[in-house]
Amino acid sequence: MSASSDQIAECFAIFDKDNDGKVHTDELGNALRSLGKNPTANELKAIKEELGIKEFDLNTFKAVYRKPIKTPHEQEKEMLDAFKALDKDGNGTIQEAELRQLLLNLGDALSTAEVEELMKEVQVSNDGGINYDNFVDMIVNGYPLSSS
């Protein structure tokens, strides 16, 4: 689902707190998320570098919104598909040690401190397994996001 031009303008106006027609790039991630996009930290960094400015106007925001940034639903499907491919037993779990390795080394790799913080929120069974459906749901829908 895509936001209309009016919805994008309304969102921009909410983040344009001083009504000067500009929003600071630090708010870009939050603004995009409020319209249903879910940019990663690396995507935001690349967009900010591409823009090369500290503040953006409505036309720039509309252009950024049109970029191919995944929605939470799209991310959730991709993550579940990846976990299912790794689930040799088909039991819906991944071992904690294996998950830590994946988080530290694949894709937008996390730092050790980020993994430790994330793992505080994860339920691990007595045998060291983590239900990846619950994990993906937490990541995509329930884990607090930084405002980068």
Side-chain angles (χ1 to χ4, degrees):
M1 186 172 131
S2 211
S4 70
S5 186
D6 287 345
Q7 289 170 320
I8 296 169
E10 182 180 340
C11 173
F12 182 86
I14 291 168
F15 284 92
D16 181 12
K17 292 177 178 54
D18 58 3
N19 295 316
D20 68 348
K22 297 204 179 295
V23 174
H24 197 278
T25 55
D26 288 348
E27 294 290 340
L28 184 59
N30 290 333
L32 289 168
R33 287 182 191 104
S34 72
L35 291 171
K37 300 279 187 152
N38 198 20
T40 65
N42 283 347
E43 286 173 325
L44 282 173
K45 182 180 175 190
I47 292 168
K48 289 176 186 180
E49 286 174 2
E50 181 184 323
L51 293 175
I53 51 178
K54 295 285 183 204
E55 296 181 318
F56 56 92
D57 61 16
L58 177 57
N59 287 333
T60 302
F61 184 53
K62 285 180 179 181
V64 169
Y65 178 80
R66 287 187 209 100
K67 290 183 177 293
I69 300 168
K70 291 188 171 92
T71 64
H73 177 73
E74 292 167 330
Q75 288 177 331
E76 185 172 23
K77 182 179 179 339
E78 283 183 9
M79 291 173 73
L80 285 173
D81 288 348
F83 278 116
K84 286 175 184 168
L86 294 170
D87 186 6
K88 295 175 187 88
D89 301 331
N91 63 4
T93 64
I94 184 170
Q95 289 298 299
E96 179 183 8
E98 187 177 7
L99 179 59
R100 285 177 181 273
Q101 279 298 102
L102 291 171
L103 294 171
L104 288 167
N105 296 301
L106 291 180
D108 290 339
L110 302 178
S111 69
T112 301
E114 289 170 325
V115 171
E116 291 304 321
E117 189 65 28
L118 179 63
M119 295 307 284
K120 289 178 185 176
E121 305 295 323
V122 175
Q123 287 188 316
V124 182
S125 68
N126 292 338
D127 67 351
I130 295 170
N131 178 300
Y132 57 75
D133 279 323
N134 294 343
F135 178 75
V136 169
D137 183 59
M138 179 190 78
I139 294 296
V140 174
N141 301 310
Y143 193 71
L145 297 168
S146 71
S147 62
S148 22

